[in-house]
Amino acid sequence: MNTPQPRSTDENEIVLGQGMGPLKFGASMDEVRALMGEPEEIEESEDDDEFEHQAWNYLEEGYSLYFDREDDYRLSCIETDHPGMRLYGEPIHGKSPEEIQALMQRHGHDQGETEKVDTGEMRLSYEKEMIDLYFDEDQLQFVNFGVYINDDLEVQWPA
């Protein structure tokens, strides 16, 4: 019987353009299934969605993993609200927008753009880094990040 690998805090490390812990962008659905087990829920994109995709939801772990048809259903985006998520080795869940902006700036990233979204949260986006961070009442709640895309809109899969 195949049992999932035990999870550690290292597995919650977000690496921009690469993935999160053992989850690497470009992984096939079979590779992700071998790492994570069966998702609790699989969502198909709506007919009017710009990109046809599947979202695999691991609700207990706090992950949603996205596979786009255009990319041969390889892992291209991760959304997480895991309380142990880390960026550049620092825990980020519950941090303020200012703390996140300072962290990004310390690691050479330009100022992000902020926007109030329809659901009431505030989104801090770093377009070049392909990461959106969502805040409610000035506390980071969840992060959505993906594989890098170059200026010609070509996916840059990690090596």
Side-chain angles (χ1 to χ4, degrees), residues 134-154:
Y134 292 85
F135 299 83
D136 190 22
E137 297 182 7
D138 274 347
Q139 293 189 334
L140 180 63
Q141 299 300 311
F142 68 97
V143 177
N144 185 309
F145 60 103
V147 66
Y148 286 162
I149 297 174
N150 70 14
D151 292 338
D152 298 323
L153 302 179
E154 297 167 333

Side-chain angles (χ1 to χ4, degrees), residues 61-87:
E61 291 90 348
Y63 303 119
S64 290
L65 310 178
Y66 293 85
F67 302 86
D68 291 333
R69 184 179 64 81
E70 191 176 285
D71 297 324
D72 300 321
Y73 288 105
R74 293 163 71 191
L75 180 63
S76 60
C77 183
I78 299 172
E79 186 171 286
T80 184
D81 64 358
H82 193 285
M85 65 179 148
R86 303 170 70 78
L87 182 63

Side-chain angles (χ1 to χ4, degrees), residues 7-8 14 74 78-79 86 110 118 146 155:
R7 299 187 190 343
S8 71
I14 295 168
R74 293 163 71 191
I78 299 172
E79 186 171 286
R86 303 170 70 78
D110 295 333
D118 296 341
V155 174

Side-chain angles (χ1 to χ4, degrees), residues 7 15 18 35:
R7 299 187 190 343
V15 180
Q18 302 286 312
L35 273 173

Side-chain angles (χ1 to χ4, degrees), residues 27-157:
S28 70
M29 289 177 155
D30 287 340
E31 290 169 328
V32 169
R33 191 177 281 113
L35 273 173
M36 298 288 294
E38 286 297 325
E40 293 158 68
E41 180 180 274
I42 296 178
E43 292 178 52
E44 299 280 342
S45 53
E46 301 291 323
D47 291 339
D48 59 349
D49 278 352
E50 190 176 339
F51 297 104
E52 197 174 316
H53 67 273
Q54 275 191 11
W56 287 15
N57 298 320
Y58 293 88
L59 305 172
E60 259 184 56
E61 291 90 348
Y63 303 119
S64 290
L65 310 178
Y66 293 85
F67 302 86
D68 291 333
R69 184 179 64 81
E70 191 176 285
D71 297 324
D72 300 321
Y73 288 105
R74 293 163 71 191
L75 180 63
S76 60
C77 183
I78 299 172
E79 186 171 286
T80 184
D81 64 358
H82 193 285
M85 65 179 148
R86 303 170 70 78
L87 182 63
Y88 294 113
E90 294 186 30
I92 59 172
H93 192 269
K95 297 278 189 201
S96 71
E98 296 76 22
E99 289 172 306
I100 297 298
Q101 287 171 323
L103 172 66
M104 293 295 279
Q105 203 163 18
R106 282 196 304 276
H107 291 277
H109 303 291
D110 295 333
Q111 191 71 24
E113 292 182 24
T114 59
E115 176 185 1
K116 199 79 153 160
V117 292
D118 296 341
T119 51
E121 296 109 350
M122 191 270 280
R123 178 176 63 213
L124 173 60
S125 297
Y126 290 86
E127 191 175 336
K128 194 175 90 196
E129 291 79 9
M130 297 298 293
I131 186 169
D132 292 321
L133 304 108
Y134 292 85
F135 299 83
D136 190 22
E137 297 182 7
D138 274 347
Q139 293 189 334
L140 180 63
Q141 299 300 311
F142 68 97
V143 177
N144 185 309
F145 60 103
V147 66
Y148 286 162
I149 297 174
N150 70 14
D151 292 338
D152 298 323
L153 302 179
E154 297 167 333
V155 174
Q156 304 298 294
W157 297 112

Side-chain angles (χ1 to χ4, degrees), residues 9-29:
T9 54
D10 294 344
E11 292 187 354
N12 298 309
E13 179 72 28
I14 295 168
V15 180
L16 297 175
Q18 302 286 312
M20 183 171 183
L23 291 168
K24 300 292 181 229
F25 293 132
S28 70
M29 289 177 155

